[in-house]
Amino acid sequence: MPLDMVVCVKWVPNTQVVNIDPRTGTLIREGVPSIINPHDLNAVELGLRLKDSYGGRLTAIAMSPPSAKAGLEFLIGMGVDRAILITDRAFAGADTLATSYVLAKAIERLMPVDIAIFGQETIDSSTAHICAQTASWLKLPYIYYVVDAKLGDGKKSIVVRRVLEREVETFELPLPCLISVAMKSNVPRPVTLSNKIRAKTEGLIEVWSNDVLKLDVNCIGLKGSPTVVSKSVPTPVVPRKKLKFEGTDPAEAARWLLDRLEEEGVKVV
Ligand SMILES: Cc1cc2nc3c(=O)[nH]c(=O)nc-3n(C[C@H](O)[C@H](O)[C@H](O)COP(=O)(O)OP(=O)(O)OC[C@H]3O[C@@H](n4cnc5c(N)ncnc54)[C@H](O)[C@@H]3O)c2cc1C
């Protein structure tokens, strides 16, 4: 049975050096070298493997500044069928509640969808809130830390496995459902030349502003975000130090290390 799937991906700063908007306390994203959140490539790969096995279509969705178009082209280069870039000043500064609301409304607009796939978390704020929040807006069953998935016997469900610290769990979820994929759980496939050409020539990326979604401005962006950044303080970068213990006695080495840690202000109990 062909599957109609969506995968949500975030466009994140590809740098440790980011500036905070002193007025809103949120990240200044435009003009910052950015990439598709690396953990979302594992979500894309799982979606493409399901498409390889059962056929169907995989649509990527990103709520991001216009510059994310380059990232969505990359995903089409991997084999994603089409992409939706949700971009509008009205969505800027959104916390997770406002972000998940917009993503849920975008997925609702694409319904019927069999599976909504998310990454485990992002590398910039990594709250890991979005998946569960989007699932609750859409009232979809949800499992996180998924490492692989296959269709259930009745073709009305999927069977997923997830790896926890000491065990592997298997769940069967009725379709439609929402899953988040464990980071590093697969090796994302490379882009192909033919797909890259498709990404550049076939107009496979739709751009949706709020004129398309028509959402209440009080529910989106900074206005729709109950989380208020009261203060943001850049953490000082502590220069790395290389120290070498010259002796051979393990007990002496342990004593030496504790002394060095205390010198650095580490409270040794
Ligand atoms: C340093 C920092 C700290 C923050 N702290 C908070 C906070 O405490 N509470 C809060 O509500 N907001 C917070 N935010 C805002 C939050 O980053 C945004 O709301 C963001 O869009 C979603 O949260 P996340 O990056 O943590 O996503 P996560 O919940 O970690 O993302 C999980 C998955 O959801 C999908 N996803 C996430 N964002 C998008 C997107 N924009 N488009 C498409 N798919 C997406 C991806 O598949 C991703 O792997 C913070 C932002 C920064 C930069």
Side-chain angles (χ1 to χ4, degrees):
M1 177 190 100
L3 290 169
D4 205 331
M5 301 170 279
V6 298
V7 59
C8 288
V9 298
K10 189 178 180 187
W11 186 235
V12 294
N14 182 19
T15 170
Q16 298 300 324
V17 187
V18 285
N19 297 316
I20 305 271
D21 180 330
R23 211 170 35 78
T24 62
T26 59
L27 283 190
I28 298 172
R29 291 180 187 280
E30 203 46 42
V32 174
S34 299
I35 52 172
I36 291 285
N37 179 45
H39 308 321
D40 295 345
L41 297 180
N42 301 116
V44 171
E45 179 58 28
L46 187 135
L48 291 172
R49 290 182 185 187
L50 284 169
K51 191 183 138 198
D52 294 343
S53 307
Y54 307 107
R57 176 175 61 175
L58 182 62
T59 302
I61 301 176
M63 183 190 93
S64 297
S67 55
K69 190 163 181 280
L72 295 174
E73 282 177 358
F74 177 84
L75 300 184
I76 291 173
M78 285 175 69
V80 163
D81 296 283
R82 62 173 180 162
I84 312 281
L85 172 55
I86 304 171
T87 191
D88 192 317
R89 296 281 331 140
F91 300 134
D95 70 357
T96 59
L97 190 72
T99 300
S100 61
Y101 178 67
V102 172
L103 295 176
K105 288 297 173 188
I107 295 170
E108 234 169 49
R109 203 182 151 81
L110 294 169
M111 284 292 180
V113 162
D114 298 305
I115 311 172
I117 312 172
F118 286 67
Q120 176 176 327
E121 62 183 56
T122 62
I123 58 170
D124 60 344
S125 52
S126 30
T127 62
H129 291 179
I130 295 285
C131 323
Q133 287 172 323
T134 309
S136 56
W137 286 117
L138 293 168
K139 298 188 175 36
L140 291 178
Y142 162 55
I143 289 280
Y144 55 92
Y145 291 161
V146 167
V147 292
D148 59 38
K150 62 180 178 166
L151 259 187
D153 296 345
K155 309 256 182 286
K156 291 194 171 24
S157 63
I158 56 167
V159 177
V160 301
R161 285 185 327 126
R162 70 170 180 193
V163 178
L164 299 181
E165 264 123 39
R166 286 190 202 78
E167 59 205 3
V168 176
E169 294 180 327
T170 303
F171 291 88
E172 182 155 8
L173 286 94
L175 299 178
C177 64
L178 191 146
I179 59 174
S180 67
V181 176
M183 60 170 83
K184 301 189 175 75
S185 57
N186 58 39
V187 179
R189 66 194 61 191
V191 299
T192 65
L193 181 57
S194 57
N195 281 334
K196 277 177 82 169
I197 293 167
R198 280 181 55 242
K200 292 283 181 204
T201 58
E202 296 183 16
L204 299 168
I205 301 177
E206 288 173 44
V207 178
W208 291 1
S209 69
N210 198 32
D211 297 341
V212 176
L213 289 171
K214 296 189 176 36
L215 303 175
D216 177 345
V217 290
N218 298 306
C219 300
I220 59 177
L222 208 51
K223 271 202 190 140
S225 300
T227 314
V228 177
V229 180
S230 55
K231 199 168 84 181
S232 44
V233 188
T235 43
V237 178
V238 182
R240 281 164 184 256
K241 259 194 204 165
K242 257 199 173 161
L243 302 169
K244 194 162 181 283
F245 172 68
E246 299 299 345
T248 55
D249 173 39
E252 209 190 309
R255 181 70 261 153
W256 176 87
L257 178 60
L258 290 177
D259 292 346
R260 297 296 81 70
L261 288 172
E262 268 179 354
E263 279 162 15
E264 295 297 326
V266 178
K267 196 162 175 344
V268 180
V269 288

